[in-house]
Amino acid sequence: MASWARQVSRWCCLLQSARAAEFPGRLSGRSSSTQACRGFTPLPSRNDVLPWRWQAYRRVCVGSCSPSGSAKDGSFSSPESTLPSPVKQEQAKAETLPDLNAKIPYEDWDDIPPSSALEEISEEEAVQIIAEPLLPLQSSTLRDYVDHSETLAKLVHLGVDLSQVEKRQKAGQLLLTLDFEKDIRKILLFLKDVGVEDNQLGPFLTKNPYILAEDLETLETRVAYLKSKKFGKAEIAQMVSRAPYLLLFSVERLDNRLGFFKNELGLSVKKTKDLVLRLPRLLTGKLEPVKENLQVFNSKLLRIKERHMFLTFLGRAQYDPAQPSYISLDQLVSLPDEVFCTEIAKASIQDFEKFLKTL
């Protein structure tokens, strides 16, 4: 604005100089019928500021009073005969000015006053304004945010079930705070490197969205620990896929879980490894049920399978405590064959032995 004001002041000085040059001619009676000098036009609107400036500048430079000897047909004589030399120089400069229709140079943009927020616009301009819809202030479902969140949209495309995720404590709020490129992509690449298949990434994150907030270096440390316990890459991939929360456990906690099964059950390192490979959720679940049924883990799998199949054959395989004739795991595993047959299966030992021969 200061630059614009200086330009206007300069034009006024030039106009005054031109008029002063004409004043002696008027005193000498050059012509009483001389036409009035052309002056500034009324101030233009803001949209016409730059064109008006060029017009005003040209009028100052080349404007002059008409001599009394003008042609009868209204033509004017050359202004060079009446303009003083300074004005002639300005006229010569004005002839080299650029076209008014040319694009405005970038350096002149600063001279244009900024648009006001209160400036009125036409209806045609108003209907062309595209306003982004506002995010809901609160919602009970992530579905309301999918159209507004690139992260949620990409997770849905990946196969994540947001209706299941939002049921988990604070999982929905977590996803809304994450950026897909900055926070999520590196975790997806890590899971693929571990061995999680592409078509399993969505179901995996549905079950365990909290892994997206974990530090990548920490996750890599936990995988390195499993490798140090002689678990192969394919075995780790199987464990992680079947027990999605496994990598949320710290190295110390994983070590304590493996030590529990080895020491409490008296298993060798190899048998402990085989156990967690078959049932990896033993590393992430509660230990109380395990402690209550230690005999089950000490029993041979074949023996448990044989008794279960015999009970199924008899229609007595009832393991629901809310139903009559409930059979606990301890009864299924720990009782001798005679007691199991008479008290649990309600059959003779001979019937049980005959059944085993049919397998």
Side-chain angles (χ1 to χ4, degrees):
M1 290 299 293
S3 176
W4 185 81
R6 289 195 297 270
Q7 292 291 342
V8 173
S9 177
R10 185 181 303 173
W11 299 330
C12 291
C13 291
L14 291 174
L15 178 62
Q16 291 174 0
S17 298
R19 288 181 174 176
E22 299 166 359
F23 186 70
R26 293 180 180 178
L27 291 178
S28 61
R30 187 171 181 174
S31 174
S32 60
S33 60
T34 303
Q35 297 179 4
C37 294
R38 289 176 288 178
F40 282 99
T41 58
L43 287 178
S45 63
R46 289 166 54 185
N47 294 331
D48 300 326
V49 168
L50 287 180
W52 174 81
R53 286 168 55 183
W54 287 114
Q55 293 171 5
Y57 184 69
R58 284 189 170 184
R59 291 181 181 179
V60 170
C61 294
V62 303
S64 63
C65 296
S66 302
S68 56
S70 299
K72 295 181 180 180
D73 57 357
S75 61
F76 295 93
S77 61
S78 172
E80 295 178 357
S81 60
T82 58
L83 290 177
S85 57
V87 179
K88 292 180 181 180
Q89 295 175 2
E90 292 296 332
Q91 177 184 356
K93 294 180 181 179
E95 293 175 353
T96 63
L97 293 177
D99 187 2
L100 293 180
N101 296 324
K103 293 184 178 179
I104 302 173
Y106 291 124
E107 56 268 20
D108 289 342
W109 286 4
D110 293 336
D111 296 339
I112 301 176
S115 300
S116 171
L118 302 179
E119 182 179 357
E120 294 185 1
I121 61 176
S122 65
E123 293 184 2
E124 295 180 354
E125 294 174 323
V127 297
Q128 295 177 359
I129 297 176
I130 301 176
E132 293 293 337
L134 297 176
L135 283 173
L137 297 178
Q138 61 180 11
S139 176
S140 59
T141 176
L142 289 173
R143 183 176 54 204
D144 294 338
Y145 297 91
V146 173
D147 293 337
H148 309 277
S149 172
E150 181 183 3
T151 296
L152 293 182
K154 288 185 176 181
L155 288 176
V156 170
H157 182 72
L158 197 63
V160 177
D161 188 347
L162 297 181
S163 65
Q164 295 298 319
V165 171
E166 63 192 17
K167 295 178 182 179
R168 306 184 186 278
Q169 186 177 14
K170 297 184 179 180
Q173 294 90 326
L174 170 65
L175 295 186
L176 290 174
T177 62
L178 297 178
D179 180 86
F180 189 88
E181 297 297 330
K182 180 181 177 182
D183 305 315
I184 298 180
R185 181 176 292 277
K186 59 184 179 181
I187 302 299
L188 295 177
L189 294 176
F190 164 77
L191 292 174
K192 291 181 64 175
D193 185 64
V194 168
V196 179
E197 299 292 336
D198 289 352
N199 60 354
Q200 292 299 314
L201 288 174
F204 181 93
L205 295 178
T206 299
K207 297 175 183 177
N208 179 20
Y210 306 107
I211 196 172
L212 297 175
E214 291 291 310
D215 179 69
L216 181 59
E217 185 176 351
T218 301
L219 294 173
E220 293 172 342
T221 301
R222 294 166 186 171
V223 172
Y225 167 78
L226 293 176
K227 292 180 179 179
S228 71
K229 294 300 179 180
K230 309 304 180 183
F231 290 99
K233 181 176 178 63
E235 294 172 334
I236 294 175
Q238 176 185 339
M239 294 168 61
V240 171
S241 298
R242 297 177 61 186
Y245 283 94
L246 179 64
L247 293 181
L248 294 186
F249 282 62
S250 65
V251 170
E252 294 77 13
R253 195 171 181 183
L254 288 173
D255 191 64
N256 290 337
R257 287 297 178 97
L258 291 174
F260 169 82
F261 291 111
K262 179 178 180 297
N263 299 326
E264 293 293 331
L265 301 180
L267 301 177
S268 64
V269 174
K270 184 179 183 306
K271 289 185 177 180
T272 301
K273 178 181 175 181
D274 293 340
L275 176 64
V276 297
L277 282 176
R278 291 200 312 267
L279 302 170
R281 292 189 180 183
L282 290 175
L283 295 177
T284 61
K286 296 181 179 180
L287 292 179
E288 286 73 14
V290 178
K291 294 177 180 177
E292 295 172 358
N293 297 280
L294 286 177
Q295 187 65 34
V296 175
F297 296 100
N298 285 326
S299 300
K300 292 183 178 180
L301 180 61
L302 179 59
R303 183 182 185 184
I304 299 174
K305 184 178 180 180
E306 290 173 344
R307 292 189 174 187
H308 167 69
M309 294 179 68
F310 184 56
L311 290 174
T312 302
F313 174 75
L314 298 174
R316 296 182 178 277
Q318 179 53 261
Y319 307 118
D320 186 355
Q323 300 296 326
S325 304
Y326 163 68
I327 299 174
S328 67
L329 287 176
D330 184 61
Q331 292 173 325
L332 179 66
V333 174
S334 60
L335 296 176
D337 286 343
E338 294 80 0
V339 178
F340 167 76
C341 290
T342 57
E343 295 186 6
I344 306 300
K346 308 298 182 181
S348 64
I349 185 65
Q350 291 79 13
D351 292 334
F352 182 54
E353 291 174 351
K354 289 178 181 179
F355 174 78
L356 295 177
K357 292 178 181 180
T358 64
L359 298 178

